[in-house]
Amino acid sequence: MLKVDKINVYYEKIHAIKDVSFEVNPGEVVALIGANGAGKTTTLHTITGLIRPESGQITYSDGEGGQLDLTKMPPHKMVAKGLAHVPEGRRIFLQMTVLENLEMGAFCKGKASKEDLDNVFARFPRLEERKKQIAGTLSGGEQQMLAMGRALMSHPKLLMLDEPSMGLSPILVEQIFDIIAELHKSGTTILLVEQNAEMALQIADRAYVLESGHVVMTGTGAELAASEEIRKAYLGG
Amino acid sequence: MSFINNLINGISLGSVYAIIALGYTMVYGIAKMLNFAHGDIIMVGAYICFFVCSGAGLSPILGILAAVLVCTVLGIVIEQLAYKPLRQVTSLAVLITAIGVSYFLQNAAQLLWTSNPRIFPAIFGNGGVQLGGDLTIPYKTLVTIGACVIIMVALILFTGKTRTGKAMRACSEDKDAAQLMGININSTISLTFAIGSALAAIAGVLLCAAYPKLIPTTGSMPGIKAFTAAVFGGIGSIPGAFLGGILLGVIEIFSSAYLSTELANAIVFLVLIVILLVKPTGLLGKKISEKV
């Protein structure tokens, strides 16, 4: 579905991503784990075109026969192809209402349909209670739900989540991961970027470990969770 | 009675400032830049209307439409040629470019139309509405205030209710996130410049209807005052630009009527400084705390 092939990304002179390759197959949950500054967010930004790679290929197939070269596609055209990106720090529109945020999520569809809104509200009942509220007044957990709900409004085929657990209490983290598991069950392919390796590896079919811009390890979620090195480096022994 | 007259004149001048300030504030909100050439678009609009009405002798409606059309195109072209290549550089470079564009427009006007003053025709007629006693409100004043109110209400409805308007607000808050929603940033910025410049054209016509002396620098002082009004009301806020414009106009007319004609401008800026000292975000400026 998504194939990232030897991409290299620079911030001015800093070589942030070095020959990174990975794949996401339809129906999978794939996790990118690694410490702060390993290049996880940069990788996602490169996929959605907010940053362009110096070299390498990123191809995406939407399941309808088309092979799209994402390195040449303007970022605003991607969401219509089924590629939704929930960025790090949620990046919801803080001065707009909850409902308006969801409407923006459906921007590529034209108008937000009642059915889609009801679906999001069924998954996140808190958002329905607060739909008239300015998004900046929501709690951190509610903002994460809004960011995910907003992405779901576009009917993503591939949902990319960047640090959905960041800054949330353990109970909320559990809740967010339950929702990710549900989305996966209902057929959405997921690319998950997480610092919380423990949670990410529990849910992931496969995972890649990034370290200073390199992919240093890959395997199934269970394999990596059992690996000695991973336990030492990311799971606290 | 003269108090009422002064008040009405102040609101009328303030309405012109408000229409200009709305353009400043919208462009600032979306493109995060101060378009100092905005005032000179006003001047171009006024010249176009002048040539259509006085030069070609056509109806004022055509004159206004032509001014709006030319200024809209001019605004989009300026954005594409001068500002778009500078999206990724420091805002200081963009600011200096905007000042350059401002001088370019003034000099081009001087070259094309000379610096001899033209007398703008009384396109709204010389009459007015008699309100009893010696109080008459000229038609041009009514048109100016009416246009300002209509424009502000239309902009509030546009940004609050329409899909494109909401996309504009999304862009003004977070361009990357807006792109991830499928919003085309470039066309949104172009649209903002188009709307702002169309408003500037209308403001130019209204300004010259009230103060008929038209020269290539006609737009620069009102442009700076409208920028002040936008900051005064809280830059980025549409109702703020409206309120700031009206207040500025009223303060200016009252200062020159009751205090000193020479010092009117100084008093206007003094009030601005005091307001900003007390409330740095302007009267209706938003400050929202981000939760993590």
Side-chain angles (χ1 to χ4, degrees):
Chain A
M1 184 166 211
L2 179 75
K3 191 166 164 38
V4 174
D5 192 16
K6 289 200 170 142
I7 55 167
N8 284 282
V9 180
Y10 292 80
Y11 284 110
E12 313 240 318
K13 292 248 158 64
I14 300 162
H15 196 172
I17 301 290
K18 298 158 191 159
D19 279 330
V20 164
S21 301
F22 63 91
E23 261 179 277
V24 182
N25 300 310
E28 275 187 320
V29 176
V30 172
L32 289 183
I33 59 173
N36 239 339
K40 308 184 298 295
T41 296
T42 305
T43 305
L44 281 200
H45 281 198
T46 313
I47 294 171
T48 33
L50 298 177
I51 310 169
R52 295 297 186 185
E54 205 77 1
S55 64
Q57 292 296 315
I58 305 173
T59 42
Y60 168 75
S61 61
D62 55 4
E64 283 153 26
Q67 286 280 337
L68 303 167
D69 178 357
L70 296 189
T71 58
K72 303 231 160 53
M73 195 177 209
H76 70 267
K77 294 210 167 138
M78 292 189 188
V79 62
K81 303 287 179 197
L83 209 70
H85 177 177
V86 180
E88 185 181 16
R90 359 272 191 221
R91 304 283 283 269
I92 55 172
F93 303 114
L94 294 170
Q95 295 176 25
M96 298 172 81
T97 66
V98 168
L99 188 61
E100 284 173 336
N101 267 277
L102 294 175
E103 286 170 359
M104 287 297 105
F107 186 85
C108 67
K109 302 266 165 208
K111 234 173 108 57
S113 74
K114 170 109 186 22
E115 198 190 334
D116 288 346
L117 282 172
D118 286 344
N119 277 336
V120 169
F121 289 147
R123 217 178 274 282
F124 305 104
R126 288 298 278 279
L127 296 183
E128 181 160 29
E129 289 164 31
R130 294 171 190 257
K131 66 181 174 187
K132 295 264 156 70
Q133 212 167 306
I134 299 291
T137 63
L138 299 180
S139 71
E142 288 163 348
Q143 291 193 5
Q144 184 61 47
M145 289 176 191
L146 179 55
M148 289 170 72
R150 183 178 69 173
L152 293 179
M153 292 296 291
S154 68
H155 294 269
K157 293 176 179 137
L158 173 60
L159 181 62
M160 299 191 283
L161 301 164
D162 196 346
E163 304 270 7
S165 74
M166 193 168 72
L168 300 183
S169 69
I171 296 171
L172 279 171
V173 173
E174 291 275 352
Q175 221 179 327
I176 294 288
F177 274 86
D178 284 347
I179 292 164
I180 297 171
E182 274 172 40
L183 289 172
H184 176 223
K185 239 184 249 160
S186 64
T188 315
T189 308
I190 290 166
L191 176 58
L192 174 67
V193 157
E194 260 299 342
Q195 254 189 82
N196 187 336
E198 194 178 348
M199 291 300 289
L201 291 177
Q202 272 178 31
I203 198 174
D205 295 312
R206 292 184 306 110
Y208 295 83
V209 183
L210 275 177
E211 221 175 86
S212 349
H214 287 287
V215 173
V216 292
M217 236 181 162
T218 173
T220 67
E223 278 167 13
L224 289 180
S227 131
E228 193 62 28
E229 281 168 70
I230 297 293
R231 297 181 68 84
K232 274 205 182 111
Y234 301 106
L235 303 175
Chain B
M1 214 41 111
S2 80
F3 173 80
I4 305 266
N5 263 329
N6 284 330
L7 183 65
I8 291 170
N9 284 340
I11 294 175
S12 174
L13 177 62
S15 296
V16 175
Y17 290 156
I19 296 172
I20 309 170
L22 286 168
Y24 256 115
T25 231
M26 284 185 76
V27 166
Y28 178 82
I30 309 294
K32 301 282 176 261
M33 65 161 291
L34 294 170
N35 180 18
F36 274 114
H38 194 64
D40 302 291
I41 309 264
I42 298 168
M43 171 272 296
V44 174
Y47 269 104
I48 300 293
C49 184
F50 170 82
F51 285 119
V52 172
C53 298
S54 280
L58 298 171
S59 94
I61 304 275
L62 281 177
I64 296 170
L65 285 178
V68 167
L69 193 72
V70 170
C71 289
T72 304
V73 173
L74 183 64
I76 295 174
V77 170
I78 289 173
E79 197 275 323
Q80 293 286 320
L81 292 182
Y83 305 145
K84 194 178 173 189
L86 302 177
R87 289 272 168 79
Q88 310 299 332
V89 305
T90 64
S91 51
L92 200 58
V94 188
L95 189 74
I96 293 166
T97 307
I99 294 171
V101 172
S102 167
Y103 281 115
F104 175 82
L105 290 177
Q106 285 177 22
N107 289 332
Q110 229 167 61
L111 212 63
L112 282 172
W113 303 319
T114 76
S115 47
N116 295 331
R118 321 261 174 162
I119 302 304
F120 199 79
I123 55 172
F124 302 117
N126 285 316
V129 177
Q130 195 83 30
L131 282 186
D134 55 356
L135 183 66
T136 306
I137 305 180
Y139 290 132
K140 61 188 180 199
T141 306
L142 288 175
V143 172
T144 303
I145 297 171
C148 177
V149 171
I150 291 169
I151 286 169
M152 192 205 49
V153 171
L155 282 181
I156 288 178
L157 289 178
F158 172 70
T159 54
K161 302 281 179 212
T162 67
R163 175 169 171 266
T164 315
K166 288 177 194 173
M168 230 177 214
R169 279 160 58 211
C171 275
S172 97
E173 252 196 74
D174 188 334
K175 287 200 181 53
D176 281 350
Q179 288 194 78
L180 295 178
M181 303 297 115
I183 297 166
N184 184 339
I185 303 294
N186 286 331
S187 53
T188 307
I189 292 179
S190 288
L191 177 67
T192 312
F193 271 86
I195 295 175
S197 306
L199 295 182
I202 295 172
V205 172
L206 295 171
L207 179 76
C208 289
Y211 302 88
K213 192 180 131 190
L214 178 55
I215 51 173
T217 51
T218 286
S220 73
M221 199 60 194
I224 289 174
K225 285 200 194 135
F227 163 62
T228 313
V231 175
F232 191 50
I235 194 140
S237 153
I238 288 176
F242 176 75
L243 186 65
I246 300 285
L247 281 176
L248 204 77
V250 171
I251 294 169
E252 184 179 332
I253 296 286
F254 277 13
S255 317
S256 64
Y258 300 115
L259 297 168
S260 150
T261 320
E262 289 79 18
L263 288 180
N265 285 340
I267 293 168
V268 165
F269 287 102
L270 186 71
V271 173
L272 171 84
I273 291 169
V274 172
I275 297 269
L276 290 185
L277 280 176
V278 179
K279 203 165 181 304
T281 52
L283 293 171
L284 303 181
K286 279 181 220 157
K287 218 173 76 184
I288 199 152
S289 57
E290 207 164 318
K291 282 192 183 169
V292 184

